[in-house]
Amino acid sequence: MSSIKRAVLHRTPRRRLSVAGAITAGALLLVACGGDGDMAGMDHGGESRESSPTASGKAGADRAPGAFNDADVAFAQGMIPHHQQAVEMSALAEDRASGAEIKALAVEIEKAQDPEITTMRTWLRAWGEPEPAGEEMPGMDHGSGDTAGMMSDRDMRELTAAKGADFDKKFARLMIEHHNGAIAMARDERRNGDNAAAKRLAAEVIEAQTAEVEQLTAILGQL
């Protein structure tokens, strides 16, 4: 055997061992990196969950991808019927209100809250959670209407029957109460929620509805 062949044979096992070692080290590094990523997204309290990959699909702004918890679910399930009632109240203003400000504000409320209802329904589907049945809010007694500022059946009947300045006063008073309930719900989500998109919507609700409460209060003072 020539000296060149002997040298090759001596080097080959050592090189193979080096390659195998590098592959093993690389695999361990990848596992370690993957573990860190999982830990970063984990809620060690055990309450956080992840959206279903198939349900989430495209990571759109309205899809609320990522971790979520019971507070996020309760926020969406409670705010959907809350928004639905605000939209219903606002729709009455078109042919009952006499003040231009009330009519304009009612249009803005519908325009803002209707798409938010669709968004929150999308979240619940992505999370594998049920939508609220009809207009029911968790723990709500429709007879009293005192949960999260929701109107009672009697309040809604009286608002529907009112016209002109009487409607404007009732609408302003009831919507202030309704908005304050939504603001309280949104603050709870900001404190206890885990999902970034849900918490962002809660912040927008607080900002928009606080401004509308101020506007309605000013209108009420002029009536």
Side-chain angles (χ1 to χ4, degrees), residues 123-186:
W123 295 351
L124 291 174
R125 286 193 295 271
W127 296 339
E129 297 289 343
E131 293 184 30
E135 293 185 357
E136 291 292 331
M137 285 186 67
M140 177 178 174
D141 176 5
H142 280 275
S144 64
D146 59 358
T147 301
M150 288 285 281
M151 302 300 99
S152 67
D153 293 338
R154 179 179 177 179
D155 289 331
M156 292 302 295
R157 285 195 303 269
E158 290 180 353
L159 185 63
T160 302
K163 284 186 178 294
D166 183 43
F167 176 89
D168 294 352
K169 288 178 184 179
K170 281 185 170 62
F171 180 88
R173 178 177 58 80
L174 294 174
M175 193 61 82
I176 287 170
E177 183 180 348
H178 200 268
H179 273 12
N180 283 334
I183 291 167
M185 292 166 65

Side-chain angles (χ1 to χ4, degrees), residues 47-52 55-56 63-64 66-78 80 119-133 138 195:
E47 296 180 359
S48 184
R49 291 169 278 169
E50 290 287 334
S51 299
S52 164
S56 296
R63 296 264 175 186
F68 68 98
N69 62 14
D70 289 344
D72 299 312
V73 174
F75 173 68
Q77 289 176 333
I80 287 171
T119 293
M120 289 183 285
R121 281 175 169 161
T122 302
W123 295 351
L124 291 174
R125 286 193 295 271
W127 296 339
E129 297 289 343
E131 293 184 30
N195 186 267

Side-chain angles (χ1 to χ4, degrees), residues 30-93:
L30 287 173
V31 170
C33 290
D36 289 343
D38 292 340
M39 295 293 286
M42 181 183 295
D43 180 359
H44 291 279
E47 296 180 359
S48 184
R49 291 169 278 169
E50 290 287 334
S51 299
S52 164
T54 54
S56 296
K58 300 173 184 176
D62 65 339
R63 296 264 175 186
F68 68 98
N69 62 14
D70 289 344
D72 299 312
V73 174
F75 173 68
Q77 289 176 333
M79 196 62 82
I80 287 171
H82 202 276
H83 272 20
Q84 285 173 332
Q85 190 177 66
V87 170
E88 182 183 348
M89 292 168 68
S90 298
L92 296 173

